[in-house]
Amino acid sequence: MLRWLIGGGREPQGLAEKAALQTIGEDQGQNPYTELLVLKAHRDIVRFLVQLDGYRFASAGDDGIIVVWNAQTGEKLLELRGHTQKITAVITFLPLDSCEASSQLLLTASADRTVVWDCDTGRQIQRVTCFQSTVKCLAVLQRLDVWLSGGSDLGVWSRKLDLLCKTSHLSDTGISALVEIPGNCVAAAVGRELIIFRLVTPTEELLEWDIIEVKRLLDHQDNILSLANINDTSFVTGSHVGELIIWDALDWTVQACERTFWSPTPQLDAQQEIKLCQKQNDIPVNHFACDEENVFAAVGRGLYVYNLQLKRVIACQKTAHDSNILHIDKLPNRQLISCSEDGAVRMWEVREKQQLAAEPVPTGFFNMWGFGRVNKQANQPVKKQEENVTTCSLELIGDLIGHSSSVEMFLYFEDHGLVTCSADHLIILWKNGERESGLRSLKLFQKLEENGDLYPEST
């Protein structure tokens, strides 16, 4: 297994954390990423990666530069310059299916302006400079063929970059995240509030677009950091103090709510508790990944798998990294990837295990991990339970060490590998070593065959 360091390795945050962190040796049989390409073009922190198509991606960060890359070869295709300050949001705007002549657009935002680019040519189509504050997030409503800008207000824009409508001033802190929900609605995170807006499209009676505030949801106790769609009927939010709330996307009611990520385990004495337990202000919910069965949450330094049907955590690694986890994603074959401020990218596998139900289990989200108080009715008769209760574990199967600073995010490119970006100004393209070796052998075979050297004539 390749283990290659740029400028030194990771330093543990303390003896307690070092002891609790799960490690893996050199033999990483399930980790295919044994080759890498280091891509250099940025002069500051690279915070964003966005996939353009099956073989291209764009990177952007604090130097204000956007670079388009070939994910297969690592070749730099385009370098886009139009910002004077750090980039705060990036998103793609796909062409309409009915308009083949329309190009895919790339939208980039910063404190100076929002710029719209042609992904194919790198041409700067237009600059939008009429914002009252920094645009912190962008969203595309493909069905309505509009895009949204979130700052101190919420703006709705056409593909032709016309401002269709906008809200009044919402907050000095601004909108931190946006997600589309059914009914021409969007959910916007503004501080600890979740605000539901409805877009009103033009009709014969109403000739102009409008955006209406429908509801304000105040269920979070602290600022909302993460917001993601689960499916067509639900979405999830996470806050700075470890709150996870699953919402009904149709009527905006709470489907499930958990606020106990920071709960200490009762087995620890007071001295150990101070050293090992994550405190409430140390467990921000930084990112989500979802599939049809589970929500995967990056909570502080830990990873949690929350099952939607059971409405409880079925697997966790409370100390999956040395520092806060910034980005996670679900891969095929029940695998998960995480990256962190500690500079590491780690691969995990969700494995099922059978546990005999020997005694009644107290109710509650984290009681399966020994957290929280025992239910008062725990000693009373309960209904007969199933013979076996299925739970899962998160097992470390790979540790990709190549960056010397915080890894901000990554992209999974299937056959082309994995792309990571970092505060060390670098982008690393991780390759499947076995696949790359096979491709090189195939190319050599084809070249020998073309030159007639594969089957030399006998003399």
Side-chain angles (χ1 to χ4, degrees):
M1 169 60 194
L2 173 132
R3 294 171 66 87
W4 186 75
L5 296 177
I6 306 174
R10 295 170 288 152
E11 293 295 331
Q13 292 187 335
L15 294 178
E17 288 85 348
K18 183 179 179 181
L21 185 70
Q22 186 174 353
T23 59
I24 188 170
E26 297 290 335
D27 185 15
Q28 302 182 28
Q30 291 183 269
N31 177 10
Y33 302 114
T34 56
E35 295 185 11
L36 60 81
L37 291 173
V38 178
L39 312 182
K40 299 180 180 180
H42 291 277
R43 301 191 303 270
D44 210 329
I45 299 173
V46 188
R47 298 188 186 274
F48 301 101
L49 297 170
V50 60
Q51 185 169 347
L52 303 180
D53 49 37
Y55 74 97
R56 293 182 305 161
F57 70 94
S59 60
D62 289 4
D63 57 7
I65 300 172
I66 304 97
V67 182
V68 178
W69 305 87
N70 184 311
Q72 183 176 7
T73 64
E75 177 188 0
K76 183 170 74 171
L77 303 176
L78 298 168
E79 187 170 296
L80 315 179
R81 294 177 178 268
H83 291 284
T84 58
Q85 299 188 42
K86 68 179 183 180
I87 293 172
T88 54
V90 181
I91 198 168
T92 58
F93 198 171
L94 298 176
L96 289 172
D97 294 336
S98 59
C99 183
E100 296 182 359
S102 177
S103 299
Q104 180 177 206
L105 303 180
L106 180 67
L107 282 63
T108 58
S110 75
D112 54 13
R113 61 183 66 88
T114 293
V115 181
V116 183
W117 312 84
D118 186 310
C119 293
D120 297 327
T121 64
R123 181 174 63 91
Q124 188 179 124
I125 297 175
Q126 188 169 331
R127 299 184 183 188
V128 183
T129 59
C130 57
F131 298 106
Q132 301 299 316
S133 65
T134 300
V135 175
K136 294 185 176 181
C137 56
L138 298 166
V140 169
L141 277 58
Q142 194 71 37
R143 185 176 58 82
L144 298 178
D145 198 35
V146 298
W147 58 277
L148 311 180
S149 60
S152 60
D153 55 25
L154 177 61
V156 182
W157 305 79
S158 71
R159 181 180 291 273
K160 295 180 180 179
L161 310 182
D162 297 321
L163 178 61
L164 303 176
C165 57
K166 69 174 184 176
T167 66
S168 58
H169 181 87
L170 296 171
S171 167
D172 290 336
T173 58
I175 299 172
S176 59
L178 288 167
V179 69
E180 181 182 7
I181 55 179
N184 289 354
C185 292
V186 292
V190 184
R192 59 179 289 265
E193 295 183 326
L194 188 66
I195 307 179
I196 308 298
F197 294 97
R198 175 173 283 116
L199 274 67
V200 181
T201 59
T203 62
E204 292 182 358
E205 294 79 17
L206 181 66
L207 300 180
E208 296 182 347
W209 286 75
D210 196 8
I211 184 166
I212 301 171
E213 181 180 321
V214 180
K215 195 169 186 179
R216 291 195 176 218
L217 306 171
L218 303 174
D219 296 76
H220 277 289
Q221 298 176 3
D222 209 318
N223 289 343
I224 299 171
L225 297 182
S226 48
L227 172 62
N229 272 318
I230 299 174
N231 49 44
D232 293 337
T233 60
S234 57
F235 64 97
V236 60
T237 54
S239 80
H240 182 72
V241 293
E243 303 164 299
L244 180 150
I245 299 179
I246 296 177
W247 305 85
D248 188 303
L250 301 176
D251 61 13
W252 319 307
T253 56
V254 175
Q255 292 182 334
C257 178
E258 300 303 335
R259 296 187 173 95
T260 49
F261 285 104
W262 58 84
S263 298
T265 56
Q267 290 82 3
L268 298 174
D269 57 31
Q271 185 70 16
Q272 290 174 314
E273 205 171 284
I274 293 173
K275 290 182 179 180
L276 295 177
C277 290
Q278 295 189 28
K279 300 177 183 178
Q280 180 172 348
N281 58 358
D282 293 335
I283 40 84
V285 183
N286 287 315
H287 198 241
F288 291 116
C290 307
D291 61 18
E292 62 277 4
E293 297 178 353
N294 303 303
V295 172
F296 305 88
V299 185
R301 295 176 290 134
L303 290 173
Y304 294 80
V305 183
Y306 175 81
N307 186 271
L308 296 168
Q309 183 177 2
L310 298 176
K311 293 188 176 182
R312 63 177 175 88
V313 162
I314 59 171
C316 80
Q317 279 289 342
K318 292 193 292 180
T319 313
H321 283 264
D322 283 324
S323 304
N324 280 343
I325 299 170
L326 301 180
H327 192 86
I328 58 174
D329 200 4
K330 175 73 166 53
L331 270 61
N333 302 321
R334 298 177 65 84
Q335 292 183 356
L336 187 72
I337 294 186
S338 59
C339 66
S340 164
E341 293 174 348
D342 62 13
V345 181
R346 313 195 95 188
M347 298 179 60
W348 308 86
E349 185 177 68
V350 181
R351 297 177 181 172
E352 291 189 359
K353 58 182 181 180
Q354 296 289 329
Q355 290 186 342
L356 295 177
E359 58 184 25
V361 180
T363 60
F365 187 82
F366 272 88
N367 279 309
M368 65 175 291
W369 305 111
F371 297 154
R373 297 178 179 177
V374 177
N375 192 306
K376 293 180 180 179
Q377 299 179 349
N379 296 323
Q380 297 180 7
V382 295
K383 294 181 180 180
K384 185 177 180 180
Q385 301 183 9
E386 298 179 1
E387 293 297 325
N388 294 301
V389 178
T390 301
T391 60
C392 300
S393 62
L394 272 174
E395 300 297 329
L396 181 64
I397 61 172
D399 200 356
L400 310 182
I401 302 177
H403 288 288
S404 60
S405 190
S406 172
V407 180
E408 301 295 312
M409 69 172 296
F410 58 84
L411 284 177
Y412 174 61
F413 259 93
E414 298 182 357
D415 291 342
H416 296 320
L418 186 75
V419 184
T420 58
C421 66
S422 170
D424 61 14
H425 311 176
L426 299 177
I427 297 166
I428 294 182
L429 180 55
W430 304 86
K431 291 288 191 177
N432 183 320
E434 184 176 344
R435 182 177 184 275
E436 294 300 308
S437 177
L439 290 175
R440 286 191 293 268
S441 297
L442 180 60
K443 288 181 180 179
L444 178 61
F445 181 88
Q446 292 173 340
K447 187 174 182 179
L448 290 173
E449 189 175 37
E450 290 173 1
N451 296 336
D453 297 331
L454 188 61
Y455 306 107
E457 297 180 1
S458 56
T459 56

